[in-house]
mmCIF file of all heavy atoms in Angstrom:
data_model
loop_
_atom_site.group_PDB
_atom_site.id
_atom_site.type_symbol
_atom_site.label_atom_id
_atom_site.label_comp_id
_atom_site.label_asym_id
_atom_site.label_seq_id
_atom_site.Cartn_x
_atom_site.Cartn_y
_atom_site.Cartn_z
ATOM 1 N N LYS A 403 4.134 31.299 -2.663
ATOM 2 C CA LYS A 403 2.829 31.055 -2.051
ATOM 3 C C LYS A 403 2.553 29.510 -1.973
ATOM 4 O O LYS A 403 3.129 28.807 -2.754
ATOM 5 C CB LYS A 403 1.738 31.655 -2.944
ATOM 6 C CG LYS A 403 1.789 33.130 -3.056
ATOM 7 C CD LYS A 403 0.562 33.545 -3.969
ATOM 8 C CE LYS A 403 0.400 34.955 -4.015
ATOM 9 N NZ LYS A 403 -0.755 35.346 -4.871
ATOM 10 N N ASN A 404 1.687 29.166 -0.977
ATOM 11 C CA ASN A 404 1.294 27.806 -0.929
ATOM 12 C C ASN A 404 0.189 27.588 -1.921
ATOM 13 O O ASN A 404 -0.592 28.544 -2.253
ATOM 14 C CB ASN A 404 0.684 27.481 0.471
ATOM 15 C CG ASN A 404 1.811 27.291 1.575
ATOM 16 O OD1 ASN A 404 2.929 27.047 1.146
ATOM 17 N ND2 ASN A 404 1.425 27.509 2.701
ATOM 18 N N PRO A 405 0.001 26.398 -2.427
ATOM 19 C CA PRO A 405 -1.173 26.134 -3.189
ATOM 20 C C PRO A 405 -2.408 26.327 -2.261
ATOM 21 O O PRO A 405 -2.276 26.278 -1.035
ATOM 22 C CB PRO A 405 -1.082 24.632 -3.610
ATOM 23 C CG PRO A 405 0.241 24.123 -3.042
ATOM 24 C CD PRO A 405 0.806 25.215 -2.198
ATOM 25 N N SER A 406 -3.619 26.530 -2.776
ATOM 26 C CA SER A 406 -4.802 26.613 -1.980
ATOM 27 C C SER A 406 -5.957 25.958 -2.619
ATOM 28 O O SER A 406 -6.075 25.801 -3.808
ATOM 29 C CB SER A 406 -5.105 28.200 -1.747
ATOM 30 O OG SER A 406 -5.547 28.785 -2.955
ATOM 31 N N VAL A 407 -6.966 25.579 -1.720
ATOM 32 C CA VAL A 407 -8.178 25.050 -2.115
ATOM 33 C C VAL A 407 -9.304 25.843 -1.417
ATOM 34 O O VAL A 407 -9.129 26.214 -0.319
ATOM 35 C CB VAL A 407 -8.237 23.528 -1.786
ATOM 36 C CG1 VAL A 407 -8.185 23.298 -0.261
ATOM 37 C CG2 VAL A 407 -9.537 22.925 -2.348
ATOM 38 N N LYS A 408 -10.332 26.090 -2.193
ATOM 39 C CA LYS A 408 -11.433 26.834 -1.713
ATOM 40 C C LYS A 408 -12.617 25.809 -1.610
ATOM 41 O O LYS A 408 -12.884 25.085 -2.509
ATOM 42 C CB LYS A 408 -11.848 27.986 -2.595
ATOM 43 C CG LYS A 408 -12.925 28.933 -1.936
ATOM 44 C CD LYS A 408 -13.329 30.033 -2.940
ATOM 45 C CE LYS A 408 -12.285 31.120 -2.830
ATOM 46 N NZ LYS A 408 -12.702 32.359 -3.524
ATOM 47 N N VAL A 409 -13.269 25.811 -0.459
ATOM 48 C CA VAL A 409 -14.426 24.958 -0.197
ATOM 49 C C VAL A 409 -15.617 25.850 0.108
ATOM 50 O O VAL A 409 -15.483 26.930 0.632
ATOM 51 C CB VAL A 409 -14.089 23.890 0.851
ATOM 52 C CG1 VAL A 409 -13.096 22.957 0.433
ATOM 53 C CG2 VAL A 409 -13.852 24.552 2.187
ATOM 54 N N ARG A 410 -16.833 25.299 -0.176
ATOM 55 C CA ARG A 410 -18.070 26.013 0.104
ATOM 56 C C ARG A 410 -18.982 25.113 0.946
ATOM 57 O O ARG A 410 -18.999 23.878 0.731
ATOM 58 C CB ARG A 410 -18.738 26.376 -1.192
ATOM 59 C CG ARG A 410 -20.150 26.892 -1.071
ATOM 60 C CD ARG A 410 -20.764 27.247 -2.398
ATOM 61 N NE ARG A 410 -19.938 28.186 -3.140
ATOM 62 C CZ ARG A 410 -19.818 28.122 -4.465
ATOM 63 N NH1 ARG A 410 -20.384 27.205 -5.168
ATOM 64 N NH2 ARG A 410 -19.082 29.034 -5.080
ATOM 65 N N ILE A 411 -19.757 25.669 1.869
ATOM 66 C CA ILE A 411 -20.719 24.940 2.676
ATOM 67 C C ILE A 411 -21.874 24.651 1.659
ATOM 68 O O ILE A 411 -22.500 25.600 1.237
ATOM 69 C CB ILE A 411 -21.205 25.684 3.859
ATOM 70 C CG1 ILE A 411 -19.971 25.912 4.794
ATOM 71 C CG2 ILE A 411 -22.263 24.907 4.574
ATOM 72 C CD1 ILE A 411 -20.261 26.810 6.029
ATOM 73 N N THR A 412 -22.098 23.338 1.360
ATOM 74 C CA THR A 412 -23.217 23.031 0.512
ATOM 75 C C THR A 412 -24.454 22.445 1.230
ATOM 76 O O THR A 412 -25.532 22.503 0.697
ATOM 77 C CB THR A 412 -22.730 21.945 -0.529
ATOM 78 O OG1 THR A 412 -22.178 20.842 0.116
ATOM 79 C CG2 THR A 412 -21.741 22.583 -1.525
ATOM 80 N N GLN A 413 -24.233 22.017 2.408
ATOM 81 C CA GLN A 413 -25.346 21.526 3.262
ATOM 82 C C GLN A 413 -24.969 21.838 4.658
ATOM 83 O O GLN A 413 -23.876 21.784 5.102
ATOM 84 C CB GLN A 413 -25.508 20.011 3.174
ATOM 85 C CG GLN A 413 -25.950 19.460 1.781
ATOM 86 C CD GLN A 413 -27.345 19.856 1.456
ATOM 87 O OE1 GLN A 413 -28.187 19.919 2.245
ATOM 88 N NE2 GLN A 413 -27.605 20.177 0.199
ATOM 89 N N ILE A 414 -26.033 22.193 5.487
ATOM 90 C CA ILE A 414 -25.872 22.441 6.914
ATOM 91 C C ILE A 414 -27.082 22.207 7.639
ATOM 92 O O ILE A 414 -28.208 22.496 7.191
ATOM 93 C CB ILE A 414 -25.296 23.966 7.119
ATOM 94 C CG1 ILE A 414 -24.935 24.182 8.610
ATOM 95 C CG2 ILE A 414 -26.447 24.939 6.746
ATOM 96 C CD1 ILE A 414 -24.216 25.471 8.874
ATOM 97 N N GLU A 415 -26.928 21.668 8.836
ATOM 98 C CA GLU A 415 -28.001 21.436 9.778
ATOM 99 C C GLU A 415 -27.473 21.835 11.149
ATOM 100 O O GLU A 415 -26.480 21.364 11.640
ATOM 101 C CB GLU A 415 -28.481 20.013 9.781
ATOM 102 C CG GLU A 415 -29.216 19.549 8.596
ATOM 103 C CD GLU A 415 -30.460 20.386 8.236
ATOM 104 O OE1 GLU A 415 -31.092 20.831 9.155
ATOM 105 O OE2 GLU A 415 -30.747 20.474 7.045
ATOM 106 N N VAL A 416 -28.144 22.907 11.737
ATOM 107 C CA VAL A 416 -27.753 23.473 13.067
ATOM 108 C C VAL A 416 -28.521 22.706 14.134
ATOM 109 O O VAL A 416 -29.727 22.461 14.011
ATOM 110 C CB VAL A 416 -28.011 24.966 13.024
ATOM 111 C CG1 VAL A 416 -27.585 25.558 14.414
ATOM 112 C CG2 VAL A 416 -27.353 25.698 11.953
ATOM 113 N N ALA A 417 -27.830 22.384 15.215
ATOM 114 C CA ALA A 417 -28.457 21.782 16.435
ATOM 115 C C ALA A 417 -29.549 22.747 16.954
ATOM 116 O O ALA A 417 -29.208 23.844 17.255
ATOM 117 C CB ALA A 417 -27.408 21.423 17.447
ATOM 118 N N ALA A 418 -30.750 22.222 17.001
ATOM 119 C CA ALA A 418 -31.902 23.097 17.379
ATOM 120 C C ALA A 418 -32.210 23.041 18.898
ATOM 121 O O ALA A 418 -33.018 23.762 19.410
ATOM 122 C CB ALA A 418 -33.092 22.786 16.593
ATOM 123 N N ASP A 419 -31.595 22.101 19.595
ATOM 124 C CA ASP A 419 -31.802 21.902 21.056
ATOM 125 C C ASP A 419 -30.554 21.350 21.762
ATOM 126 O O ASP A 419 -29.517 20.943 21.087
ATOM 127 C CB ASP A 419 -33.033 20.965 21.259
ATOM 128 C CG ASP A 419 -32.824 19.593 20.649
ATOM 129 O OD1 ASP A 419 -31.824 19.016 20.799
ATOM 130 O OD2 ASP A 419 -33.868 19.205 19.986
ATOM 131 N N ALA A 420 -30.650 21.478 23.056
ATOM 132 C CA ALA A 420 -29.430 21.009 23.845
ATOM 133 C C ALA A 420 -29.083 19.531 23.706
ATOM 134 O O ALA A 420 -27.863 19.245 23.727
ATOM 135 C CB ALA A 420 -29.735 21.347 25.340
ATOM 136 N N VAL A 421 -30.046 18.703 23.499
ATOM 137 C CA VAL A 421 -29.800 17.325 23.345
ATOM 138 C C VAL A 421 -29.029 17.059 22.062
ATOM 139 O O VAL A 421 -27.981 16.366 22.031
ATOM 140 C CB VAL A 421 -31.139 16.429 23.305
ATOM 141 C CG1 VAL A 421 -30.863 14.989 22.975
ATOM 142 C CG2 VAL A 421 -31.802 16.488 24.679
ATOM 143 N N THR A 422 -29.466 17.569 20.963
ATOM 144 C CA THR A 422 -28.785 17.454 19.661
ATOM 145 C C THR A 422 -27.386 18.042 19.733
ATOM 146 O O THR A 422 -26.390 17.511 19.274
ATOM 147 C CB THR A 422 -29.625 18.071 18.564
ATOM 148 O OG1 THR A 422 -30.872 17.545 18.510
ATOM 149 C CG2 THR A 422 -28.928 17.845 17.195
ATOM 150 N N GLU A 423 -27.228 19.252 20.338
ATOM 151 C CA GLU A 423 -26.013 19.874 20.539
ATOM 152 C C GLU A 423 -25.006 19.027 21.283
ATOM 153 O O GLU A 423 -23.843 18.844 20.914
ATOM 154 C CB GLU A 423 -26.064 21.256 21.275
ATOM 155 C CG GLU A 423 -24.837 21.995 21.376
ATOM 156 C CD GLU A 423 -24.957 23.339 21.988
ATOM 157 O OE1 GLU A 423 -26.081 23.965 22.076
ATOM 158 O OE2 GLU A 423 -23.948 23.761 22.606
ATOM 159 N N GLY A 424 -25.447 18.326 22.331
ATOM 160 C CA GLY A 424 -24.617 17.523 23.091
ATOM 161 C C GLY A 424 -24.206 16.301 22.291
ATOM 162 O O GLY A 424 -23.038 15.837 22.415
ATOM 163 N N ARG A 425 -25.095 15.751 21.490
ATOM 164 C CA ARG A 425 -24.729 14.577 20.637
ATOM 165 C C ARG A 425 -23.668 14.992 19.618
ATOM 166 O O ARG A 425 -22.721 14.330 19.386
ATOM 167 C CB ARG A 425 -25.964 14.012 19.948
ATOM 168 C CG ARG A 425 -26.909 13.335 20.904
ATOM 169 C CD ARG A 425 -28.249 13.018 20.336
ATOM 170 N NE ARG A 425 -28.056 11.988 19.248
ATOM 171 C CZ ARG A 425 -29.021 11.734 18.343
ATOM 172 N NH1 ARG A 425 -30.185 12.297 18.455
ATOM 173 N NH2 ARG A 425 -28.760 10.815 17.414
ATOM 174 N N LEU A 426 -23.865 16.188 19.054
ATOM 175 C CA LEU A 426 -22.854 16.652 18.092
ATOM 176 C C LEU A 426 -21.449 16.917 18.741
ATOM 177 O O LEU A 426 -20.474 16.608 18.194
ATOM 178 C CB LEU A 426 -23.382 17.884 17.298
ATOM 179 C CG LEU A 426 -24.497 17.666 16.369
ATOM 180 C CD1 LEU A 426 -24.959 19.022 15.752
ATOM 181 C CD2 LEU A 426 -24.215 16.668 15.316
ATOM 182 N N ARG A 427 -21.488 17.424 19.934
ATOM 183 C CA ARG A 427 -20.230 17.690 20.603
ATOM 184 C C ARG A 427 -19.542 16.381 20.859
ATOM 185 O O ARG A 427 -18.339 16.298 20.850
ATOM 186 C CB ARG A 427 -20.473 18.488 21.920
ATOM 187 C CG ARG A 427 -20.752 19.993 21.577
ATOM 188 C CD ARG A 427 -20.614 20.895 22.848
ATOM 189 N NE ARG A 427 -21.075 22.214 22.478
ATOM 190 C CZ ARG A 427 -20.428 23.116 21.839
ATOM 191 N NH1 ARG A 427 -19.165 22.838 21.384
ATOM 192 N NH2 ARG A 427 -20.904 24.352 21.574
ATOM 193 N N GLY A 428 -20.329 15.395 21.264
ATOM 194 C CA GLY A 428 -19.711 14.054 21.487
ATOM 195 C C GLY A 428 -19.074 13.510 20.196
ATOM 196 O O GLY A 428 -17.928 13.023 20.296
ATOM 197 N N LEU A 429 -19.798 13.612 19.169
ATOM 198 C CA LEU A 429 -19.226 13.106 17.900
ATOM 199 C C LEU A 429 -18.002 13.949 17.531
ATOM 200 O O LEU A 429 -16.977 13.379 17.022
ATOM 201 C CB LEU A 429 -20.204 13.305 16.703
ATOM 202 C CG LEU A 429 -21.403 12.244 16.678
ATOM 203 C CD1 LEU A 429 -22.503 12.638 15.738
ATOM 204 C CD2 LEU A 429 -20.790 10.912 16.433
ATOM 205 N N GLN A 430 -17.998 15.210 17.794
ATOM 206 C CA GLN A 430 -16.900 16.104 17.443
ATOM 207 C C GLN A 430 -15.635 15.623 18.260
ATOM 208 O O GLN A 430 -14.540 15.544 17.718
ATOM 209 C CB GLN A 430 -17.217 17.566 17.709
ATOM 210 C CG GLN A 430 -16.044 18.515 17.399
ATOM 211 C CD GLN A 430 -16.373 19.895 17.763
ATOM 212 O OE1 GLN A 430 -16.925 20.184 18.865
ATOM 213 N NE2 GLN A 430 -16.101 20.862 16.875
ATOM 214 N N ARG A 431 -15.862 15.408 19.577
ATOM 215 C CA ARG A 431 -14.701 14.893 20.412
ATOM 216 C C ARG A 431 -14.194 13.586 19.953
ATOM 217 O O ARG A 431 -12.971 13.404 19.797
ATOM 218 C CB ARG A 431 -15.220 14.772 21.860
ATOM 219 C CG ARG A 431 -15.137 15.912 22.752
ATOM 220 C CD ARG A 431 -15.413 15.681 24.147
ATOM 221 N NE ARG A 431 -16.669 15.002 24.430
ATOM 222 C CZ ARG A 431 -17.833 15.548 24.601
ATOM 223 N NH1 ARG A 431 -17.878 16.886 24.418
ATOM 224 N NH2 ARG A 431 -18.965 14.907 24.756
ATOM 225 N N GLU A 432 -15.110 12.647 19.488
ATOM 226 C CA GLU A 432 -14.689 11.367 19.009
ATOM 227 C C GLU A 432 -13.879 11.555 17.682
ATOM 228 O O GLU A 432 -12.798 10.887 17.485
ATOM 229 C CB GLU A 432 -15.867 10.425 18.728
ATOM 230 C CG GLU A 432 -15.567 9.161 18.225
ATOM 231 C CD GLU A 432 -16.820 8.277 17.920
ATOM 232 O OE1 GLU A 432 -17.792 8.448 18.630
ATOM 233 O OE2 GLU A 432 -16.746 7.528 16.877
ATOM 234 N N MET A 433 -14.372 12.361 16.822
ATOM 235 C CA MET A 433 -13.621 12.543 15.543
ATOM 236 C C MET A 433 -12.230 13.266 15.797
ATOM 237 O O MET A 433 -11.291 12.861 15.142
ATOM 238 C CB MET A 433 -14.488 13.419 14.640
ATOM 239 C CG MET A 433 -15.714 12.718 14.112
ATOM 240 S SD MET A 433 -16.909 13.768 13.284
ATOM 241 C CE MET A 433 -16.015 14.063 11.781
ATOM 242 N N TYR A 434 -12.159 14.214 16.784
ATOM 243 C CA TYR A 434 -10.914 14.843 17.056
ATOM 244 C C TYR A 434 -9.942 13.796 17.620
ATOM 245 O O TYR A 434 -8.798 13.762 17.199
ATOM 246 C CB TYR A 434 -11.164 15.948 18.098
ATOM 247 C CG TYR A 434 -9.889 16.560 18.612
ATOM 248 C CD1 TYR A 434 -9.125 17.448 17.884
ATOM 249 C CD2 TYR A 434 -9.357 16.142 19.888
ATOM 250 C CE1 TYR A 434 -7.941 17.946 18.445
ATOM 251 C CE2 TYR A 434 -8.189 16.633 20.330
ATOM 252 C CZ TYR A 434 -7.487 17.552 19.652
ATOM 253 O OH TYR A 434 -6.288 18.098 20.100
ATOM 254 N N GLN A 435 -10.397 12.914 18.543
ATOM 255 C CA GLN A 435 -9.542 11.927 19.091
ATOM 256 C C GLN A 435 -8.998 10.980 17.960
ATOM 257 O O GLN A 435 -7.839 10.658 18.016
ATOM 258 C CB GLN A 435 -10.267 11.104 20.176
ATOM 259 C CG GLN A 435 -10.383 11.983 21.445
ATOM 260 C CD GLN A 435 -11.276 11.239 22.476
ATOM 261 O OE1 GLN A 435 -12.053 10.410 22.167
ATOM 262 N NE2 GLN A 435 -11.126 11.641 23.722
#
Side-chain angles (χ1 to χ4, degrees):
K403 292 181 176 180
N404 285 339
S406 67
V407 61
K408 187 181 281 188
V409 296
R410 176 180 298 143
I411 298 172
T412 52
Q413 296 289 325
I414 187 167
E415 291 299 330
V416 179
D419 55 47
V421 172
T422 306
E423 181 178 338
R425 290 172 62 195
L426 290 180
R427 287 197 187 279
L429 285 170
Q430 182 183 44
R431 274 190 303 277
E432 180 182 327
M433 292 170 72
Y434 173 79
Q435 287 173 338

